[in-house]
Amino acid sequence: MTSKNKQPSPEELQAEIAVLRKEGATLQQKVATLQQKVATIQQEKTDLELLMQMTAEHSDQVADELYTTVEITQRESQERFELVINTVPVPIIISRVAEDVIVYANAAADELTGETGESLLGRSISEFYSKAGEREQILVEVEAQGNVDSWELQGKQNGDTYFWATVFIRPLTFNTEPCLLEAYYDLTEHKQADLERAHLQQEIIEAQQRAIQELSTPVIPIMDRIIVMPLVGNIDSMRARDVTRSLLAGISQHQAKVVILDITGVPIVDSGVANHLNKTIQAARLKGAHTIMTGISEAVAETIVDLGIDWSEITTLSDLQTGLVFALRSLGVKLTR
Amino acid sequence: MEIKGTNYHVTYDSTTATVALQGTLRLRGINEYDPIVELLDDVTAQEPETITLNLQNLQFLNSSGINILFKFVIQIREQGSSKLVVRGSTKIPWQKKSLQNLQRLMAGVQLEWGE
């Protein structure tokens, strides 16, 4: 018989049972530990899922709040922008840089350009510039300077009339697009006032010139058919021509037969003036009037002699009074004391 | 103990065991929250009877920020010896839902609402 077939003794069986019981207890302990670990992992899993869910909820909530805040801020910003832009009586136009398209214009801009409603929107701003290439010049200036102040331009109003304005230009981002803001200061009235002022000034100058001319070549009808032209100051070629013109006009107007040309107030007579006066006297003769020259000063007389001017054919008398007496007599008027 | 950032301020008053978070907390990622996490860990480790978390002046908290608060609550729950009181503001919209959620992590969280 081998030990394989030997039946265990009761002691051996009890010892084996004790070992098995001990192993069973250890296993139970391990199971309990594992169960606890599973419970912990289960809790952690639950916590993690909750954490993810609640973090996502928080993110959504915060994102919603931010989005709402952004929307409100944008709306308020837009309302504030429109309030300011539409309250100021300054024409303002915003146009996209890339396409030269008007994206915003206030009521004052409509008035300036003669447009109504929202008809400016979507149109090219260059349509309203009188000068071709103005837009390109402005863009170059903005590129170089950033802000552009006091850019003077002429614009079209109602398509057929014009306005003048000085423009203040600022680059800005409008609805996420690069744009230009143009604020116009209407100069049309100033320009018109300037033109009227210049016109008036020209009229005044012309009137003054006429007055000066009349004063420098006065024709005085002192009696029937006798006129006197007293000359004062220097006589140049231009004034000499005016003298001739006025004298001939005076002869016609007053049907004068005798003209007294008094040069008492003329300090210098040169050869040019003497020749002009000669021509004047000849022209008066052709018109049927006799000319008497009076008031030749000593200096003038010396000059005439020195220059060899021949006035021998001209009636020259010392003063106006003598000349007047001579004139009356030549017309057959008898003077009695 | 206190931590100061550009737009936020975190303090711990050990006499009342109150952690107060104020301002706008929008740090980038969990790592940037490390100093705050350390502060909260210290508070939990001290095992005060009641920990008060005052958020009444915390205007904004990003998702990384709420995540560390959730973990803080779990830590107190696991620690098992401290009660937790959380003070929120009815004027700060995000707090209503997110602070109520704290009770899902720890049933005994006491919520107190002020303005």
Side-chain angles (χ1 to χ4, degrees), chain A residues 47 54 57-59 62 65, chain B residues 60-61 63 77 93-94 98 101:
Chain A
D47 284 346
M54 294 189 309
E57 283 175 6
H58 177 83
S59 295
V62 169
E65 282 171 28
Chain B
F60 183 87
L61 184 67
S63 53
R77 184 193 72 198
W94 66 265
S98 293
N101 271 341

Side-chain angles (χ1 to χ4, degrees), chain A residues 56-326:
Chain A
E57 283 175 6
H58 177 83
S59 295
D60 290 348
Q61 165 93 11
V62 169
D64 275 353
E65 282 171 28
L66 285 176
Y67 186 77
T68 308
T69 306
V70 167
E71 269 192 332
I72 292 169
T73 307
Q74 273 186 337
R75 194 170 58 244
E76 284 177 354
S77 170
Q78 178 74 15
E79 285 170 1
R80 200 163 45 239
F81 168 78
E82 290 193 5
L83 179 71
V84 171
I85 294 282
N86 286 313
T87 303
V88 293
V90 176
I92 291 174
I93 296 176
I94 297 173
S95 59
R96 270 207 295 272
V97 172
E99 300 100 334
D100 178 19
V101 166
I102 297 172
V103 290
Y104 191 87
N106 66 358
D110 288 341
E111 200 176 325
L112 180 71
T113 55
E115 299 294 329
T116 53
E118 295 188 338
S119 56
L120 280 174
L121 299 185
R123 290 169 67 179
S124 161
I125 197 163
S126 300
E127 278 183 47
F128 298 94
Y129 296 153
S130 298
K131 197 170 78 180
E134 185 103 52
R135 172 78 173 176
E136 288 71 21
Q137 285 178 12
I138 287 173
L139 289 175
V140 168
E141 196 68 12
V142 169
E143 183 72 26
Q145 308 289 335
N147 296 337
V148 177
D149 288 336
S150 304
W151 182 279
E152 201 169 292
L153 59 78
Q154 191 187 39
K156 292 176 191 169
Q157 193 173 51
N158 293 319
D160 51 0
T161 55
Y162 297 97
F163 66 83
W164 280 98
T166 184
V167 191
F168 297 80
I169 304 156
R170 298 284 181 273
L172 87 161
T173 302
F174 188 79
N175 291 339
T176 72
E177 297 269 5
C179 291
L180 287 187
L181 180 146
E182 296 179 16
Y184 289 72
Y185 179 65
D186 192 353
L187 292 177
T188 310
E189 284 185 12
H190 288 80
K191 280 279 179 187
Q192 281 172 346
D194 281 348
L195 285 173
E196 281 171 16
R197 201 177 300 120
H199 183 67
L200 197 63
Q201 206 166 6
Q202 186 59 33
E203 281 186 350
I204 290 168
I205 289 167
E206 286 172 8
Q208 282 174 339
Q209 281 176 339
R210 278 197 302 276
I212 289 166
Q213 193 183 344
E214 283 167 10
L215 286 172
S216 66
T217 59
V219 173
I220 305 162
I222 56 164
M223 286 188 70
D224 185 30
R225 289 177 293 163
I226 300 173
I227 59 173
V228 175
M229 180 181 269
L231 298 177
V232 177
N234 289 323
I235 297 174
D236 57 12
S237 302
M238 188 178 285
R239 192 174 169 205
R241 274 196 297 275
D242 290 341
V243 166
T244 307
R245 207 172 293 133
S246 295
L247 193 66
L248 295 177
I251 291 167
S252 295
Q253 187 184 350
H254 303 291
Q255 296 179 325
K257 288 293 174 193
V258 180
V259 174
I260 302 171
L261 202 56
D262 183 65
I263 59 169
T264 309
V266 178
I268 299 164
V269 173
D270 61 15
S271 57
V273 173
N275 282 333
H276 265 296
L277 290 175
N278 270 343
K279 285 176 186 171
T280 306
I281 292 163
Q282 282 172 17
R285 194 178 294 143
L286 289 173
K287 294 277 285 181
H290 178 68
T291 304
I292 301 162
M293 188 85 82
T294 64
I296 298 169
S297 67
E298 287 174 8
V300 170
E302 276 178 25
T303 308
I304 288 169
V305 171
D306 288 347
L307 292 172
I309 296 166
D310 182 13
W311 273 6
S312 57
E313 296 294 316
I314 297 169
T315 307
T316 56
L317 295 169
S318 59
D319 54 37
L320 184 58
Q321 191 182 0
T322 317
L324 186 58
V325 171
F326 184 89

